[in-house]
Amino acid sequence: MNLVAWAIVACEVLFWVVILAGFTARYLFGQKKLGLFFLALTPVLDLILLLIAGIDLNSGASATTAHALAAIYISVSVVFGKSMIRWADERFRYYVTKQGPAPAKRYGLDHAKHYFKSWLKHVLAFLLGAGILYGLIAWIDDPDRTGALSSILGVWTVVLVIDLIISSSYFIWPRKVKN
C-alpha cells in the first residue's frame, strides 16, 4: 500500500477516534468545549488527506486508485460528515450514557423518503468528488498518470445507480414494522 492509501486508512480511523473522544469528553466528563474541539478536528483530517494526496501527485507520482479514493473520501466526508456525527451522537447518548430517546426506527414511506434523501446526498457527494477528480486530471494534464482517476468515476457511477435502485425499491416494497 502506498502513502495515500495509508493516509486514507489513518484518516478514517482518526475520524471515529476524534468523534468518540468528543462524545466522551462531552457526555461522560461534562467537558462541552473539549468535546467540541475534538469534533472540530474532523474537517482537519480531510485537509490533511487532501494535502498528502496533493503533495504526492505534485511530486510526480502517477495517480492510483488510492488517490481517487481520497477524493471520494473527502467528498463523502464533506457531504455526509454532519449527518454521520449526528447519527453517532444519537447512539452514543442512548447506548453509552443512557440519556436521550432511542434512535428512531423508520418504516414505510418515512423510511423510503429518508433513504431517498440519502441518495440525493450521494449525488451531491458524487458531483463534488467528480469535480475534485476532474480538477486533478486537468491539473496533472497527463493521461498516462491519471487513468485511475477517470476509471474510478465509472465504478462510482455504477454504485450511484445501484444506490438509486435500492432507494427507489423502498417506495415499491416499503420496510415493514417487525413483530
Side-chain angles (χ1 to χ4, degrees):
M1 257 187 354
N2 66 20
L3 173 67
V4 176
W6 282 112
I8 293 169
V9 171
C11 285
E12 180 65 17
V13 169
L14 287 172
F15 175 82
W16 291 106
V17 166
V18 298
I19 287 175
L20 286 175
F23 294 158
T24 300
R26 177 186 284 176
Y27 296 119
L28 299 182
F29 298 116
Q31 300 291 320
K32 292 188 187 256
K33 287 184 181 179
L34 182 60
L36 181 61
F37 168 77
F38 281 118
L39 294 174
L41 288 176
T42 57
V44 173
L45 295 171
D46 294 340
L47 183 60
I48 290 169
L49 180 58
L50 185 61
L51 287 171
I52 290 170
I55 290 169
D56 191 44
L57 290 171
N58 194 45
S59 67
S62 288
T64 64
T65 302
H67 292 93
L69 290 176
I72 292 170
Y73 176 89
I74 289 166
S75 64
V76 168
S77 180
V78 166
V79 173
F80 285 95
K82 186 176 179 181
S83 59
M84 284 190 296
I85 291 172
R86 189 177 331 112
W87 176 89
D89 185 52
E90 288 174 356
R91 278 141 187 85
F92 191 92
R93 273 186 295 148
Y94 182 74
Y95 293 111
V96 176
T97 69
K98 306 298 183 203
Q99 299 171 3
K105 295 188 189 268
R106 299 177 186 277
Y107 301 100
L109 187 58
D110 180 50
H111 179 262
K113 287 179 181 178
H114 176 76
Y115 279 92
F116 190 75
K117 287 177 189 174
S118 180
W119 179 78
L120 292 173
K121 283 185 171 182
H122 188 176
V123 171
L124 185 58
F126 175 84
L127 294 172
L128 178 60
I132 293 169
L133 290 169
Y134 282 123
L136 288 171
I137 290 167
W139 176 49
I140 295 169
D141 195 28
D142 182 355
D144 292 334
R145 289 180 51 213
T146 59
L149 300 179
S150 53
S151 68
I152 202 77
L153 280 169
V155 174
W156 198 0
T157 301
V158 170
V159 170
L160 189 65
V161 169
I162 290 169
D163 192 19
L164 173 62
I165 292 167
I166 292 169
S167 295
S168 299
S169 74
Y170 293 131
F171 288 99
I172 301 167
W173 299 286
R175 183 176 180 193
K176 297 182 193 283
V177 178
K178 295 178 184 175
N179 295 333

